[in-house]
Every structure is written in C-alpha cells, then in structure tokens.
Amino acid sequence: MKYILTFILLYPLLAFGQNKETKAPVFALGTFADDYGISYTINDTLWIQHPNIKYHIIKWNPEKQYLVARNDAKNKTDGNKYTRIDYMTFNGMEPWHWGFCLTVYDAATDEQAEKTAYVDRQNPKKGCNGYPFSRMKKTEPKPEK
C-alpha cells in the first residue's frame, strides 16, 4: 500500500518531467522554409526535412536550446543513427526568426549525440562547425496530395 501511495503522489511529478523534455518551443512548431529554400515540418516528436528526411525526436532541451533525435531508418544516409540539432532565435533578421545547426548527424547512440555540443551562438554566421546556422521562416502548410 505504501508503494502505491508513493506512486500516486509522485506520478504528476514524473509525468510533468517527461512531458517537459518532449515539448518543442512554440516558435519551432509548424512548417518552415530555410534560407536555402528547403521546407520543413516540425512537431514535438518529428522533424521532417522535405521531401523525405525524418528525425524522430527523443528529447527537447529548451533551456540549452537543442534536441536529440533518431534518424529514420529510410533516410538516404545515416539511417538509425542519432542527431543533435542545436537552435537559436534571432532578433532583427526578419523574416528569419530562428535557426538551427546539425551539430552531429551520425552518432552511434543518443547519448553520444547529446554530448557532442559545440556551437557558437555568439557567431551564427560561422558557429555551426564553421558554417552558418540555417535560418528559418514560417510558411503555410502545403496541401496533402
């Protein structure tokens, strides 16, 4: 009985803790185009780089501005490997409100991907392994065919 009561009392805390890690920041939800003309659809659990590259999101870390995902098995390269995507918001770069960097895209484990953490958010033009962060702007969803 004591264990059941403990579980009942702790369940809301456990559920909230799990939910917190799987929630995307509001600005990153929806459909986007980057400054290279590539389109994306992003929700709490899936990042799609159209037409057919998918990342299954394992963890969002809004405080440190990154996510960890498992590459889809059907991705042309690095299927079933792990990716860390760092992101940041921009001011005064309209229509670009935020950007992202594939910090690592071929890690053997999610832990390895998460620990690979070098980005320079102070220098978004070269802070992604010497390259710029891909800048994102909101777009309208395309109708399903």
Side-chain angles (χ1 to χ4, degrees):
M1 183 68 176
K2 181 169 71 170
Y3 295 111
I4 293 172
L5 182 59
T6 302
F7 178 76
I8 290 170
L9 292 173
L10 291 177
Y11 180 78
L13 294 173
L14 294 171
F16 177 75
Q18 289 176 333
N19 220 5
K20 185 178 175 187
E21 280 191 313
T22 61
K23 292 291 184 183
V26 173
F27 69 82
L29 296 171
T31 57
F32 302 90
D34 70 15
D35 47 0
Y36 300 100
I38 300 168
S39 61
Y40 301 81
T41 302
I42 304 167
N43 64 39
D44 288 328
T45 60
L46 188 62
W47 177 299
I48 302 172
Q49 179 179 324
H50 295 285
N52 53 12
I53 298 173
K54 294 180 183 178
Y55 302 97
H56 300 274
I57 300 167
I58 298 168
K59 175 182 184 179
W60 286 92
N61 188 327
E63 182 182 318
K64 294 185 179 177
Q65 300 181 47
Y66 71 84
L67 66 92
V68 176
R70 181 185 51 78
N71 303 350
D72 193 84
K74 294 179 182 175
N75 286 2
K76 192 173 182 177
T77 59
D78 303 313
N80 287 322
K81 300 261 181 162
Y82 293 87
T83 294
R84 175 179 165 137
I85 301 174
D86 282 84
Y87 56 86
M88 64 181 292
T89 56
F90 301 129
N91 292 315
M93 276 196 212
E94 283 73 19
W96 317 106
H97 295 286
W98 67 282
F100 76 92
C101 171
L102 293 176
T103 311
V104 63
Y105 48 84
D106 60 356
T109 67
D110 58 328
E111 293 90 2
Q112 182 183 14
E114 188 166 10
K115 289 178 183 174
T116 303
Y118 180 76
V119 294
D120 181 1
R121 289 184 179 86
Q122 300 302 312
N123 187 2
K125 290 183 180 181
K126 292 186 179 183
C128 180
N129 300 311
Y131 296 95
F133 275 69
S134 294
R135 298 180 300 170
M136 302 286 271
K137 67 179 176 180
K138 195 89 163 164
T139 60
E140 292 297 317
K142 293 183 180 175
E144 297 278 330
K145 291 183 179 179

